[in-house]
Amino acid sequence: MISLRFILSALLPVLIFSPITGNTQSMSVIGGGSYARNCYMASTLAIQMNSSSREDIQECDQAVLHGRLTRKDLLATYVNRGILYGAMEDYQKALKDYRTAIELGPETGEVYVNLGNLYLMGKKYDVAIQQYTTAIELTLTKNHIAHFNRAMAYENNKEFDNAAADYRRAIELSPEWVLPQLRLERLIRNTQQEQT
């Protein structure tokens, strides 16, 4: 039987070149019935569309209240609901769900990526960097996302050498992904223009 795997379903395509947009990670649910799976599917769609609805949140609420979830599936459901709240720009509720997920599984790197994204969007770059660093130090299925997001936080924090290093690391980890290369080229170009 397949164990619960934490996956990156999609990248947030909206405003991807914005300095405050991070890549979000939904978490798959193996058990827990239709509410939990619907919550996961809604969060995956919210990542792609950058929008959510109250009905999506209700699916997650039902999963939490009545889903008879394993600890891992409950953790995943809180992350997925946090993504939905984030898409609705209800950042306090998203933060609360991510913190609950951390209590359930402090070793789960994907939670810290999503938490870092909230701080990145809130322009709290130092805290975002800390969250991404924690994610990188833990088990992540796709470390290149955390390096890329941390690079954006470093860039916004005017730590250009660290940003370049993380963009390069994201490129090393996922050579077919063009976005880090584009961001690195832009960073180098902008830095050179400032020096002249």
Side-chain angles (χ1 to χ4, degrees), residues 25-36:
Q25 301 183 12
S26 62
M27 299 178 74
S28 63
V29 177
I30 299 302
S34 63
Y35 289 128

Side-chain angles (χ1 to χ4, degrees), residues 71 75 101-109 112 134 138:
R71 184 181 187 96
L75 182 155
I102 288 172
E103 289 173 12
L104 291 168
E107 72 289 347
T108 308
Y112 296 93
T134 300
L138 296 170

Side-chain angles (χ1 to χ4, degrees), residues 118-151:
L118 286 182
Y119 289 115
L120 182 63
M121 288 185 286
K123 299 183 181 182
K124 295 181 179 180
Y125 305 122
D126 288 330
V127 181
I129 289 165
Q130 291 171 356
Q131 299 305 317
Y132 296 134
T133 299
T134 300
I136 290 165
E137 292 169 352
L138 296 170
T139 304
L140 271 175
T141 55
K142 298 202 177 182
N143 235 355
H144 63 284
I145 299 293
H147 281 283
F148 179 77
N149 290 3
R150 188 172 70 174

Side-chain angles (χ1 to χ4, degrees), residues 165 167-175:
Y167 285 135
R168 287 185 180 100
R169 184 67 179 135
I171 293 165
E172 288 172 17
L173 293 170
S174 184

